[in-house]
Amino acid sequence: MYAILSTPHFHDQAQQLAQRLNLPLHTEKSKDVFFYLYYDEKGLNLIATHLSLGPLHLDFNHGALHQRLQRASISKEPLARAVGLQKRSNLRICDATAGIGREGCLLAFLGAEVTLVERSSMMVALLNDALLRCADPKIEHVKLIAADSCDFLSTTKERFDVIYLDPMFEAHSHKALVKKEMQYLQALTGPAVDADALLTVALNLKPWRVVVKRPLKARSLLNKKPDFCLSLAAYRFDIYALHLKM
Ligand SMILES: C[S@@+](CC[C@H](N)C(=O)[O-])C[C@H]1O[C@@H](n2cnc3c(N)ncnc32)[C@H](O)[C@@H]1O
């Protein structure tokens, strides 16, 4: 289903990646492979052979992701307020559903110490490449973990002030992600059937806050009423403020 495509000037890099990810290295596209990772002069790209979409390439130095960061401020970003960056600086945040890293890197850019966790090996490869190329020191220091967050959060010795969850849903109403990125995420990862379990593990760690992004009309995860809700036009943040109960 996945493979690495070797391109004329980037064979060595492609070969190393194929070895690292333990994936076959192809010199031509095959119909049997749904997703190829390949290098070009910009860095690493993902292409889906069964979707009529252009390649997915993550870049925090230029383009839409970069522009979004340049415009960001704690007061203007609802996610920054939901995680509590206006109340506490130097928050240690685990973004347990990293995706394309847009929101995690936004939080890092606004001053948080961020650990991204992502279970899709394709997304991890793209994120890793984008972080290595990133010229912004605030984002350069973002940590990336390739793991299922249920496993990671149940075994980690690290302490987090905030755990942020943005699981994928079938009827997802993420206006915030542009269409191509959303389609890639959906095709690669599908709906997060373990989202309730993820909230259980996050709450068990008793961080200062757990924040969950939900479609506006969807039930809360675990049907658990949040302590606060921050509602926007297309989605809301359910905020579990655990310090209130201690
Ligand atoms: C909707 S996307 C998140 C988008 C992200 N907030 C962003 O700004 O790019 C959901 C992502 O979470 C990942 N994911 C879902 N459940 C996970 C789990 N239990 N462990 C690790 N990653 C998970 C999926 O693979 C997918 O990439």
Side-chain angles (χ1 to χ4, degrees):
M1 187 167 172
Y2 303 139
I4 310 299
L5 189 63
S6 171
T7 44
H9 301 295
F10 301 92
H11 178 75
D12 291 351
Q13 275 171 282
Q15 197 169 39
Q16 282 165 21
L17 186 65
Q19 274 167 8
R20 187 153 56 81
L21 299 184
N22 199 16
L23 287 174
L25 181 65
H26 291 188
T27 48
E28 282 176 14
K29 283 190 196 156
S30 149
K31 282 202 301 301
D32 302 331
V33 174
F34 286 178
F35 295 98
Y36 278 106
L37 283 169
Y38 69 93
Y39 284 100
D40 65 11
E41 52 293 329
K42 295 198 306 292
L44 192 61
N45 303 274
L46 178 71
I47 188 80
T49 51
H50 60 301
L51 301 171
S52 43
L53 291 173
L56 180 65
H57 170 73
L58 304 185
D59 191 350
F60 297 111
N61 297 327
H62 312 95
L65 285 173
H66 174 71
Q67 281 163 20
R68 170 96 199 274
L69 294 177
Q70 299 312 306
R71 286 195 303 268
S73 69
I74 292 175
S75 59
K76 279 197 278 180
E77 290 294 340
L79 175 60
R81 300 204 305 279
V83 299
L85 270 174
Q86 78 286 22
K87 290 186 195 278
R88 283 176 60 174
S89 53
N90 301 324
L91 282 178
R92 291 162 303 176
I93 300 180
C94 175
D95 177 349
T97 51
I100 61 163
R102 204 185 65 128
E103 291 179 309
C105 289
L106 177 78
L107 294 171
F109 186 79
L110 295 175
E113 190 185 306
V114 173
T115 299
L116 300 173
V117 189
E118 174 55 55
R119 68 178 164 196
S120 157
S121 56
M122 300 284 104
M123 290 314 302
V124 170
L126 289 176
L127 270 172
N128 188 40
D129 181 68
L131 290 172
L132 285 174
R133 278 184 287 104
C134 184
D136 189 314
K138 289 184 220 138
I139 295 177
E140 249 177 4
H141 293 117
V142 167
K143 213 157 122 188
L144 174 62
I145 312 267
D148 185 298
S149 288
C150 286
D151 299 336
F152 172 74
L153 292 173
S154 358
T155 51
T156 184
K157 298 276 179 287
E158 282 186 60
R159 300 295 303 155
F160 297 108
D161 303 301
V162 179
I163 299 174
Y164 175 56
L165 309 176
D166 174 19
M168 182 77 72
F169 294 92
E170 258 168 288
H172 213 283
S173 55
H174 259 299
K175 295 259 164 53
L177 281 174
V178 299
K179 210 172 159 211
K180 181 168 76 175
E181 292 155 346
M182 197 61 203
Q183 286 188 43
Y184 266 105
L185 282 172
Q186 266 163 353
L188 274 172
T189 66
V193 288
D194 60 348
D196 285 308
L198 203 45
L199 179 58
T200 304
V201 180
L203 292 172
N204 281 346
L205 279 180
K206 299 193 172 30
W208 181 57
R209 283 186 182 185
V210 177
V211 177
V212 187
K213 191 177 197 174
R214 298 289 291 152
L216 208 50
K217 301 222 166 85
R219 68 170 177 89
S220 294
L221 292 185
L222 294 169
N223 292 316
K224 188 174 170 63
K225 195 168 172 291
D227 298 295
F228 306 104
C229 230
L230 181 55
S231 294
L232 303 161
Y235 58 88
R236 64 173 203 269
F237 293 113
D238 287 353
I239 303 164
Y240 301 90
L242 304 181
H243 64 296
L244 292 177
K245 304 185 178 80
M246 289 161 83

